[in-house]
Amino acid sequence: MTQELSALLAEASEILDSVRPRFIEGIGAPSAVAKGRNDFATELDLELERTVSAELRRRTGIEVHGEEFGGPQLTSGTAWVLDPIDGTFNYSSGHPLSGMLLALVRDGEPVLGLTWLPLLDRRYAAMTGGPVLLDGRPLPPLPRGKLAEAMIGFGAFNVDSHGRIPGQFRFDLLGPLSRLSSRVRMHGSTGIDLAFTASGVLGGAIVFGHHPWDNAAGVALVRAAGGVVTDLVGQPWTIASGSVLAAAPGVHEELLDMICTVADPAAAEKG
């Protein structure tokens, strides 16, 4: 299995490398397809998903589930999961914190994760068991950490939003989090939050989104680095989870304790 995954990781890396120049060239692409309140896709999202998906199918024979065009169900079987542009608002605004996310999922669990950040010239990749590779070089496993000494990535925030995890719940987390860690960061990209957690730049990340194309690649990276990944309730993360709490050992426990003292996140998700 290790040899098979290694070969698939190499194929996927070559495919993402092949579209890297196009990603860099297209920064600043305007909204082309409205997807709902405060959400859109650019024409490049669609182009990159078509190109990468076609190459993945041709070279690996495995079907692709993409953000823009969908694909096979992910709770059983094997499929690639692709987000052609993560951090679309950043990308469309010319902000460099955006990237391409790709994971291989087997029976609902990511076994490969790739996060390509062309505008930062960084490539993160890992398979089950680790290590995490940064530009092809292995990174050390994550050491045990303390929340007071860690930077924490914080997900999308609008106090007036009324989605699955309401803005008020997110707001209620910020105060206690700022007391325990004065280094809260909002990057506007789930992929970056999770890749930075896997590489030790961040001590952890709180992700309110549930989309597998946003989360699967980063979850694979953090797990490969020896980090802890659950949902906000503390249940082990799966492809069907409604949120992500990813962090270094030690930091994760402190974050989860903090979240559970603020409110019941499961109730918040039903809100």
Side-chain angles (χ1 to χ4, degrees):
M1 178 178 173
T2 299
Q3 286 185 335
E4 177 201 6
L5 288 179
S6 181
L8 289 170
L9 185 61
E11 292 278 6
S13 297
E14 288 181 6
I15 292 168
L16 292 185
D17 280 345
S18 72
V19 297
R20 179 178 175 275
R22 185 72 180 104
F23 186 99
I24 294 172
E25 173 189 303
I27 187 169
S31 169
V33 180
K35 296 164 59 178
R37 185 174 181 268
N38 290 331
D39 195 12
F40 63 88
T42 70
E43 287 289 358
L44 195 63
D45 281 276
L46 310 179
E47 176 191 325
L48 289 175
E49 185 166 318
R50 290 189 188 101
T51 301
V52 173
S53 296
E55 281 298 292
L56 286 168
R57 284 190 291 265
R58 183 180 70 84
R59 294 175 61 166
T60 70
I62 299 172
E63 288 300 310
V64 182
H65 187 116
E67 176 178 5
E68 308 306 335
F69 298 111
Q73 62 90 28
L74 299 172
T75 53
S76 63
T78 300
W80 295 104
V81 185
L82 171 65
D83 187 347
I85 301 179
D86 177 62
T88 306
F89 273 96
N90 288 354
Y91 185 81
S92 187
S93 300
H95 193 305
L97 295 187
S98 54
M100 297 181 283
L101 311 180
L102 180 64
L104 184 69
V105 174
R106 284 184 172 160
D107 298 327
E109 294 294 328
V111 294
L112 291 179
L114 300 92
T115 297
W116 255 230
L117 309 178
L119 299 167
L120 299 181
D121 196 24
R122 295 186 185 181
R123 305 182 304 161
Y124 299 85
M127 60 189 213
T128 298
V132 174
L133 304 176
L134 173 55
D135 298 329
R137 300 185 303 274
L139 296 176
L142 293 174
R144 189 169 185 85
K146 296 180 179 179
L147 181 54
E149 300 169 356
M151 284 195 295
I152 303 298
F154 197 84
F157 177 69
N158 178 349
V159 72
D160 292 326
S161 68
H162 298 284
R164 292 177 319 100
I165 303 181
Q168 186 61 52
F169 174 74
R170 305 180 193 204
F171 177 79
D172 291 343
L173 288 182
L174 275 174
L177 179 59
S178 70
R179 294 187 188 99
L180 296 172
S181 170
S182 61
R183 304 173 182 90
V184 180
R185 302 290 184 264
M186 295 185 187
H187 294 116
S189 162
T190 297
I192 283 178
D193 282 348
L194 294 176
F196 282 8
T197 298
S199 62
V201 173
L202 296 176
I206 298 172
V207 178
F208 301 108
H210 67 290
H211 296 302
W213 50 81
D214 288 327
N215 298 334
V219 166
L221 294 176
V222 175
R223 285 177 172 171
V228 182
V229 186
T230 66
D231 62 14
L232 296 185
V233 185
Q235 294 299 309
W237 186 90
T238 73
I239 205 73
S241 294
S243 55
V244 183
L245 180 63
V251 178
H252 184 279
E253 290 91 325
E254 290 188 69
L255 282 172
L256 185 59
D257 285 346
M258 179 208 73
I259 292 169
C260 290
T261 60
V262 170
D264 179 359
E269 287 195 25
K270 296 174 184 175

